[in-house]
Amino acid sequence: MSPARRLPQGGRIDRRRRLRFTFDGRSFEGHPGDTLASALLANDVLLVARSFKYHRPRGIFSAGQEEPSALVQLERPGGRRDPNLRATRQELFDGLIAYSQNRWPTLRVDVAALNDRLAPLFPAGFYYKTFMWPRWAWKALYEPSIRRMAGLGQAPTEPDPDRYEHRFAHCDLLVAGAGAAGLVAALVAVRAGLRVIVAEDDVAIGGWLLGEGSARVRLDGERPDLWLAQVRAELEAAPKCRLLCRTTVFGCYDHNFVALLERVADHLPEPPAGLPRQRLWKVRARQVLLATGTLERPIAFPGNDRPGVMLAGAAATYLHRFAVLAGQEVVLFGNHDGIYAIARDLRWAGARVTLVDSRQRPAPRLVDELRDLGCEVRTASVVVGTGGRLRLQQVHLTTRARAQETTGLPEVIPADLLLVSGGHNPDLALFAQARGRLVWEEARGIFLPGEAPWPVRVAGGANGCPTVAAAFADALRVAREIVIDLGRTPPSVPLPLVEEPGAAAIEPLWRVPMPKPRQRAKAFVDLQDDVTVKDLELAIREGYGAIEHLKRYTTTGMGTDQGKTGNVVALGLAAETQGTSVPELGYTTFRQPYLPVPFGAVVGPHRGRLFDPVRLPPSHAWAERQGAVFEPVGQWRRARYFPRTGETMEQAIAREARTVRQACGLMDASTLGKIDVRGPDAAEFLNRLYTNDWKRLAIGRCRYGLLLRDDGMVLDDGVGARLGDHHFHLTTTTGGAARVLAWFEEWLQTEWPHLRVYLTSVTEQWAAFALSGPQAREVLRPLVEGVDLSPQAFPHMSVREGRVAGVPARLFRISFTGELGFEINVPAGYGAYVWERLVEAGEPHGLVVYGTETMHLLRAEKGYIVIGQETDGTVSPIDLGMEWLIARGKGDFLGSRSLARPEMRRPDRKQLVGLLPRDPAMVLDEGAQIVEDPTASPPAPTLGHVTSSYASPNLGRTFALALVAGGRSRIGQQLYVTRLEGPPVAVEVTAPVFWDPEGKRLHA
Amino acid sequence: MLLIPCPFCGPRAEIEFRCGGEAHIVRPADPATLDDAQWADHLYFRRNPKGVHHERWWHVHGCRRWFHLTRDTVSDRILAVYPVGSRSPLASREDER
């Protein structure tokens, strides 16, 4: 048996096949070609949703992507769950499972509908006014309960099993919208030999011609289908044309960068093997043509949100495209000629129709024709209310004149469908996204496209064309302009002869004007956000009349539909209420995306292992075999520590740190940035960048270097070695490698292009292994050829070239632990080999392999800073106590002028010091605040913060580094360090070096 | 996303570039001769025009060359591209400071 409201014939549905689906657990049937909305309507399901704020019953309002009300949740196999889908755009498939949203316990009985009764308590700006005090209650009470109440669908709980693709494309012309105008323009462009992409949101090309237009329009005497089939065949056959249906242009960005969402498999239970669910296209188009058509707008009157209230054009679409007669007793309310044809169609389909025209004198021909068909026509009349509980049952009518009176009852007539049409707005959201200006046309009350900053054009309905013939002509003209702009010759494209009704006359009407006492029921402007005429009026009274304020204060147009149907009504109303004009009021910004885009599509393939590249140092495989624990350091994965069986992290680090100081240790330092600097002016160049004097560095020697920004703050540090007169090797921090190279290049190219210097990043070319500890020399000795390792021949801070384990190597005598240290650099391809030789050679000497955690502990014992830990962009070398690094007499360098400011020497600046907790077992929190008075209640003045904090097995106690205001003058004082739990703890301020302050071990 | 005509590589998407802010800020030859206010002006103060703006761009994920371009900050139209060390074809006297 056919569903209740399905007509026996007509429509673009395949009646031979039946598709079963469920909505809120009830089973229904539909056909291929149906949307979920058309199938629900066919089955006489009018109640499909509850509204956002008041939980009012809502139905299906439109037949397209602009739908504000009928949002549903789809559940698919494999944990797939999609909330907030428009039932009007979801294609039906066999086995579809949909649920209504934002209701409890059921759609018919929703407890939160109480909100509707309490509506006087929820005026515009409700949230701003209400949930202000007490402050703590927001997080604890208000927000959780608001979130429960005011929601849309539920987020999925399972990981998304589907694949999403990103594709890049270039074209000469991108056409958004394949209706009458878009297709003509595409034909012109294709015949001119241009590369064309045509994107259509719908499942097929045709736009309005697929639905209402199919009944209204004849092309060369035939139904439009014939012409559409010809066009489709030509576009599909054209080698340089890509026709994409089920594809929404959702973003028009700068310089014709256009984003498209292709719903590859949303019309199927799950994507077929090998196909993504959705595809995000990133298109750079030389020219963009927006043929996005129009969107019908409603009229605000009390009770205009009841299930059974629908846009007039939507009913026409359901009738002609889906063979669904959405009601038997229909009231059609509008302000233009277009509704007469719809009334006629509904009448022919068997409905009883009452047409309510707000205009005084519509064309008598139209009125007479309808009356001859047996329809009632009321002119100069308006709808002032509706009745019915979960669906429309009555419509309240009166004349415009009587609507203005404060007394008098309206006429009540029975109805199960109320169709509304306030006119058609050109859909210019994409044009506005592309920063095109919108120009107001008073006569029709619509925005039209104005100027755009780059080649974005608009044609057809979106350009204000009232008829198909006008749209054809407009598209032809615009497409020719485009072809000529791109240097081609416009081809001949004969257009079919159009038979259609003429342009519809209209008198704009935003709302039914009624005196206050009659406005008891809510008249909605924005159905999705539950914004009423009253809310707008209240906001304006409270001073939020400016359009951007009005939007935010009332939330009008802020739903997932972005106010596609209601925004112009809100604007018109706001202008009317304030006695101003729409152009004076302006319009709110149109933002991307045009339609909601799933996160999966935005993320695309960039998740899991493909989220970010992982960089691995040469010892990684070895470290993995040893069971190392790793940590991410930027893109690098570094070994954090190497636990032995049964060891905790603390025990492992204590063992590693002790062994380095007592015997020796080996760490992979290959992640350090390395820059090869060559050229006759290399020393001069480095002198300008670093605080140090590089001209006086002898060949074969190294220097610890500090880079400052020109504001005097520390940017990075590292060791530089002079390998030749014109050749230096600089290291940077692991995280700073790219930044420092960029810094070098910028100054070289932009400020000092005359310096003859060549910069090469060699970070990944050299493996670097830090070997340090008293036994380091003995470990290394048997592996080294060609270098005398004795302290006299190879002193601290020098570099030698030779071989290690037979591999060409650079040996640096440097140390980040404070022990005798060598950094062995070999070509990265030999890294893993040399690493294992070093580990073997170390075994007899008790060598330990250590990770980043031990490295940090050891360097902190020695008071060596870590960029980004002891510095944060506001710390100068003076603050760090590193003035000894600032070369005197070499002249200007970056940061030098700023260091000369008196401000930099203020004694109360935060300075680097050490902290020893009074309790030697207390590990301070890094980042903890330092205060003078532990009893002061917050907000208490803080003196600084802990930058590094460790338990040291070598010191037998805990210690920390800190930045403390006037820290150096506080050495010996007692201060307090806050904790997350418990009272502040006492610490003694010390110098920041805890281990071997004389540096005897370093020079061993 | 802007389409930036790199003078070395041709038109490329904005994500390949990094903007270096206002162009033609020359680092003083001898900063030591500047007083603090002059130095602060050099370091921190930038024009923020509504309209024509000359700025530095770096093709970081491309040829890694710096260059200048003139952009209308209202429409984001790129009006000119020119090498480091030269004047914009659209430079007015007010731009040179």
Side-chain angles (χ1 to χ4, degrees):
Chain A
M1 203 194 88
S2 255
R5 291 176 184 266
R6 182 83 74 188
L7 297 171
Q9 58 209 15
R12 305 177 161 269
I13 48 168
D14 178 3
R15 284 186 168 76
R16 288 165 304 176
R17 283 178 55 211
R18 291 167 188 277
L19 305 176
R20 270 162 309 177
F21 70 101
T22 69
F23 179 65
D24 278 349
R26 285 174 63 204
S27 294
F28 300 101
E29 276 188 0
H31 298 292
D34 263 325
T35 61
L36 177 58
S38 69
L40 285 169
L41 277 176
N43 286 281
D44 199 27
V45 177
L46 290 193
L47 173 65
V48 297
R50 287 281 175 170
S51 72
F52 186 70
K53 186 164 145 193
Y54 300 128
H55 289 249
R56 284 167 68 99
R58 290 283 163 82
I60 293 161
F61 191 66
S62 74
Q65 41 77 14
E66 71 271 34
E67 177 62 33
S69 292
L71 302 185
V72 297
Q73 181 159 316
L74 244 62
E75 306 272 342
R76 299 176 197 240
R80 296 174 170 90
R81 176 191 287 169
D82 288 292
N84 311 330
L85 292 178
R86 293 151 173 75
T88 50
R89 258 298 185 253
Q90 176 60 48
E91 290 173 65
L92 201 63
F93 54 82
D94 199 44
L96 181 147
I97 300 170
Y99 292 95
S100 58
Q101 303 182 153
N102 198 33
R103 82 294 193 265
W104 186 85
T106 69
L107 187 57
R108 296 181 68 83
V109 185
D110 179 7
V111 169
L114 189 62
N115 284 4
D116 194 24
R117 304 276 177 83
L118 302 177
L121 302 179
F122 303 109
F126 170 66
Y127 294 97
Y128 305 123
K129 289 167 181 165
T130 310
F131 301 110
M132 302 293 288
W133 301 276
R135 190 177 252 227
W136 58 267
W138 175 256
K139 258 200 136 59
L141 238 74
Y142 299 144
E143 193 186 337
S145 56
I146 291 171
R147 283 201 185 281
R148 261 199 310 279
M149 293 278 284
L152 294 162
Q154 295 159 304
T157 51
E158 303 295 312
D160 191 336
D162 290 330
R163 205 162 57 77
Y164 298 82
E165 274 183 11
H166 282 182
R167 271 193 79 166
F168 292 85
H170 295 263
C171 63
D172 295 316
L173 173 64
L174 180 120
V175 181
L183 291 175
V184 165
L187 283 180
V188 173
V190 162
R191 290 186 193 175
L194 299 180
R195 290 178 304 162
V196 182
I197 294 176
V198 182
E200 168 55 51
D201 177 64
D202 210 336
V203 301
I205 62 167
W208 185 73
L209 293 174
L210 283 181
E212 190 179 348
S214 67
R216 209 75 78 226
V217 177
R218 291 293 173 269
L219 301 177
D220 284 337
E222 302 279 352
R223 290 173 69 95
D225 284 18
L226 202 66
W227 182 73
L228 290 176
Q230 288 165 4
V231 175
R232 177 168 199 119
E234 179 169 350
L235 295 182
E236 281 179 343
K240 289 189 189 170
C241 177
R242 191 190 290 276
L243 176 60
L244 297 168
C245 287
R246 297 190 175 102
T247 303
T248 313
V249 177
F250 70 83
C252 275
Y253 299 86
D254 297 329
H255 297 183
N256 281 348
F257 184 69
V258 186
L260 281 54
L261 180 69
E262 184 184 4
R263 297 180 302 277
V264 178
D266 278 5
H267 58 297
L268 304 168
E270 50 189 287
L275 278 185
R277 180 190 161 199
Q278 294 175 335
R279 191 176 283 138
L280 189 96
W281 290 81
K282 304 179 186 183
V283 179
R284 184 73 73 168
R286 292 174 72 192
Q287 302 259 346
V288 169
L289 177 70
L290 303 173
T292 42
T294 62
L295 293 172
E296 195 165 20
R297 67 189 181 211
I299 298 169
F301 56 82
N304 63 343
D305 68 323
R306 215 174 288 281
V309 181
M310 190 187 279
L311 291 169
T317 302
Y318 288 119
L319 180 66
H320 296 297
R321 179 163 172 185
F322 301 104
V324 173
L325 181 59
Q328 286 293 334
E329 296 196 83
V330 183
V331 177
L332 234 161
F333 173 38
N335 58 346
H336 61 88
D337 294 351
I339 57 173
Y340 286 79
I342 295 172
R344 199 176 53 220
D345 295 350
L346 292 168
R347 178 69 192 136
W348 278 342
R352 289 186 39 170
V353 179
T354 306
L355 186 136
V356 182
D357 193 329
S358 65
R359 295 173 297 175
Q360 291 290 344
R361 270 178 224 85
R365 180 182 53 81
L366 294 170
V367 177
D368 294 345
E369 193 189 25
L370 265 197
R371 286 191 174 139
D372 289 349
L373 284 172
C375 299
E376 233 188 292
V377 179
R378 311 281 186 95
T379 57
S381 295
V382 287
V383 173
V384 293
T386 62
R389 212 173 72 77
L390 295 177
R391 61 193 300 164
L392 181 81
Q393 285 170 325
Q394 299 134 11
V395 174
H396 305 180
L397 306 175
T398 189
T399 62
R400 270 188 96 144
R402 292 185 60 183
Q404 305 278 17
E405 294 164 7
T406 48
T407 56
L409 289 175
E411 180 184 351
V412 176
I413 64 168
D416 61 356
L417 181 66
L418 170 56
L419 302 180
V420 190
S421 182
H424 296 83
N425 298 321
D427 187 358
L428 293 172
L430 294 173
F431 183 69
Q433 283 179 13
R435 293 197 248 169
R437 302 193 74 78
L438 306 189
V439 182
W440 184 249
E441 189 203 274
E442 192 68 35
R444 286 185 283 176
I446 56 173
F447 282 110
L448 290 173
E451 271 179 37
W454 43 78
V456 183
R457 292 177 167 91
V458 184
N463 202 18
C465 295
T467 61
V468 173
F472 276 171
D474 190 42
L476 200 59
R477 176 187 60 80
V478 172
R480 283 188 170 144
E481 277 175 30
I482 289 169
V483 168
I484 291 167
D485 267 15
L486 293 174
R488 306 277 179 127
T489 315
S492 110
V493 175
L495 292 178
L497 182 72
V498 187
E499 298 162 54
E500 61 183 330
I506 181 170
E507 288 171 18
L509 177 70
W510 310 119
R511 61 146 156 199
V512 172
M514 288 163 76
K516 281 259 148 43
R518 298 189 69 143
Q519 296 178 9
R520 264 188 298 276
K522 296 184 186 71
F524 286 89
V525 174
D526 180 339
L527 286 171
Q528 187 165 113
D529 292 309
D530 272 351
V531 180
T532 65
V533 173
K534 263 189 192 168
D535 290 328
L536 294 180
E537 289 172 343
L538 177 69
I540 290 165
R541 275 205 305 282
E542 291 184 354
Y544 297 94
I547 196 65
E548 294 282 1
H549 289 157
L550 191 67
K551 169 179 170 177
R552 282 157 186 81
Y553 198 60
T554 64
T555 72
T556 192
M558 287 169 67
T560 62
D561 65 335
Q562 296 278 292
K564 287 189 172 56
T565 50
N567 265 0
V568 173
V569 179
L571 254 179
L573 251 165
E576 196 177 278
T577 309
Q578 301 184 75
T580 173
S581 67
V582 170
E584 269 176 73
L585 200 58
Y587 52 89
T588 54
T589 309
F590 289 83
R591 291 197 174 80
Q592 303 88 356
Y594 176 75
L595 285 181
V597 177
F599 281 117
V602 175
V603 172
H606 306 290
R607 58 181 183 175
R609 287 185 53 210
L610 298 181
F611 178 66
D612 202 27
V614 175
R615 304 171 78 183
L616 301 173
S619 68
H620 185 81
W622 183 91
E624 254 182 348
R625 291 199 299 274
Q626 304 303 309
V629 174
F630 296 92
E631 67 169 341
V633 180
Q635 289 177 326
W636 290 100
R637 272 178 85 71
R638 298 190 73 179
R640 192 172 180 202
Y641 57 98
F642 293 81
R644 289 189 178 153
T645 316
E647 261 185 351
T648 64
M649 173 172 150
E650 287 72 24
Q651 288 166 336
I653 290 159
R655 171 180 50 77
E656 290 174 11
R658 213 168 19 236
T659 314
V660 174
R661 297 240 186 267
Q662 287 167 6
C664 78
L666 180 66
M667 189 197 62
D668 192 339
S670 305
T671 63
L672 288 178
K674 306 170 201 78
I675 304 172
D676 191 76
V677 183
R678 295 188 197 219
D681 296 320
E684 169 65 23
F685 177 64
L686 295 176
N687 257 18
R688 296 180 184 197
L689 290 169
Y690 283 86
T691 62
N692 322 65
D693 191 347
W694 299 88
K695 287 185 178 168
R696 289 183 11 202
L697 185 68
I699 293 170
R701 298 297 308 217
C702 305
R703 180 159 281 171
Y704 173 73
L706 209 50
L707 277 171
L708 308 185
R709 298 190 314 231
D710 221 357
D711 66 0
M713 302 306 169
V714 175
L715 172 72
D716 206 87
D717 67 356
V719 171
R722 190 164 204 169
L723 301 172
D725 233 5
H726 298 164
H727 188 191
F728 291 82
H729 175 95
L730 270 297
T731 68
T732 75
T733 59
T734 296
R739 185 169 56 233
V740 171
L741 182 65
W743 183 248
F744 282 21
E745 287 187 72
E746 178 179 346
W747 286 100
L748 183 59
Q749 286 185 39
T750 66
E751 207 69 30
W752 309 314
H754 54 280
L755 292 184
R756 290 159 301 167
V757 179
Y758 306 93
L759 303 170
T760 313
S761 166
V762 291
T763 301
E764 306 219 334
Q765 278 61 40
W766 290 102
F769 305 133
L771 179 67
S772 66
Q775 299 296 312
R777 190 176 283 119
E778 302 318 311
V779 172
L780 195 54
R781 200 187 301 279
L783 293 176
V784 171
E785 295 164 60
V787 181
D788 181 351
L789 294 182
S790 69
Q792 300 75 29
F794 191 8
H796 183 55
M797 296 309 268
S798 48
V799 57
R800 297 290 179 268
E801 289 183 275
R803 281 176 181 271
V804 173
V807 174
R810 284 182 190 158
L811 292 174
F812 298 83
R813 219 197 121 178
I814 56 179
S815 169
F816 197 40
T817 61
E819 303 295 324
L820 163 66
F822 298 92
E823 199 188 280
I824 300 120
N825 280 224
V826 293
Y830 293 109
Y833 172 78
V834 173
W835 173 266
E836 291 191 31
R837 299 294 82 71
L838 285 166
V839 172
E840 285 163 13
E843 246 166 52
H845 302 278
L847 174 133
V848 70
V849 174
Y850 65 98
T852 51
E853 203 61 38
T854 293
M855 169 190 79
H856 277 125
L857 162 60
L858 295 173
R859 65 89 202 173
E861 289 175 346
K862 190 65 183 153
Y864 291 157
I865 62 160
V866 164
I867 299 295
Q869 196 150 346
E870 274 68 40
T871 69
D872 60 5
T874 68
V875 178
S876 80
I878 305 171
D879 302 334
L880 293 172
M882 296 170 102
E883 269 189 88
W884 56 275
L885 281 169
I886 300 170
R888 304 283 160 208
K890 73 161 181 170
D892 181 44
F893 56 89
L894 294 184
S896 62
R897 173 62 186 83
S898 292
L899 291 181
R901 295 164 60 222
E903 186 72 11
M904 292 297 221
R905 303 218 166 258
R906 250 173 48 188
D908 62 344
R909 279 187 65 86
K910 287 177 187 169
Q911 296 165 336
L912 184 71
V913 291
L915 300 179
L916 289 175
R918 293 285 183 214
D919 171 359
M922 165 68 66
V923 182
L924 303 173
D925 292 327
E926 289 180 354
Q929 298 297 313
I930 297 162
V931 294
E932 212 153 29
D933 175 5
T935 61
S937 60
T942 71
L943 299 172
H945 69 277
V946 176
T947 58
S948 298
S949 169
Y950 303 93
S952 164
N954 299 313
L955 304 175
R957 57 158 303 135
T958 61
F959 72 102
L961 297 176
L963 287 166
V964 177
R968 285 196 282 272
S969 64
R970 291 178 189 270
I971 287 173
Q973 279 182 17
Q974 174 161 301
L975 294 174
Y976 294 84
V977 172
T978 60
R979 288 183 297 157
L980 285 177
E981 314 269 333
V985 292
V987 297
E988 185 194 333
V989 181
T990 69
V993 185
F994 299 90
W995 184 261
D996 185 29
E998 308 83 36
K1000 282 184 193 141
R1001 305 175 69 93
L1002 207 53
H1003 292 274
Chain B
M1 181 164 30
L2 305 180
L3 187 67
I4 297 174
C6 171
F8 306 95
C9 305
R12 293 287 190 277
E14 186 183 345
I15 44 164
E16 295 184 13
F17 297 83
R18 197 170 296 163
C19 182
E22 185 182 342
H24 308 301
I25 308 268
V26 179
R27 192 171 186 275
D30 189 1
T33 61
L34 269 54
D35 65 26
D36 280 0
Q38 290 167 321
W39 180 240
D41 184 62
H42 162 73
L43 272 189
Y44 300 116
F45 289 83
R46 297 292 181 267
R47 286 143 46 82
N48 186 19
K50 184 177 178 180
V52 174
H53 192 223
H54 309 292
E55 50 199 29
R56 310 185 312 147
W57 284 79
W58 185 36
H59 197 183
V60 52
H61 301 298
C63 61
R64 292 185 76 91
R65 299 299 298 172
W66 283 89
F67 58 92
H68 290 169
L69 65 78
T70 302
R71 180 175 64 102
D72 185 323
T73 59
V74 178
S75 69
D76 260 344
R77 266 190 294 233
I78 293 168
L79 308 171
V81 178
Y82 55 103
V84 163
S86 67
R87 288 183 62 192
S88 170
L90 294 154
S92 62
R93 187 162 304 154
E94 188 202 347
D95 297 327
E96 319 275 322
R97 38 169 236 179

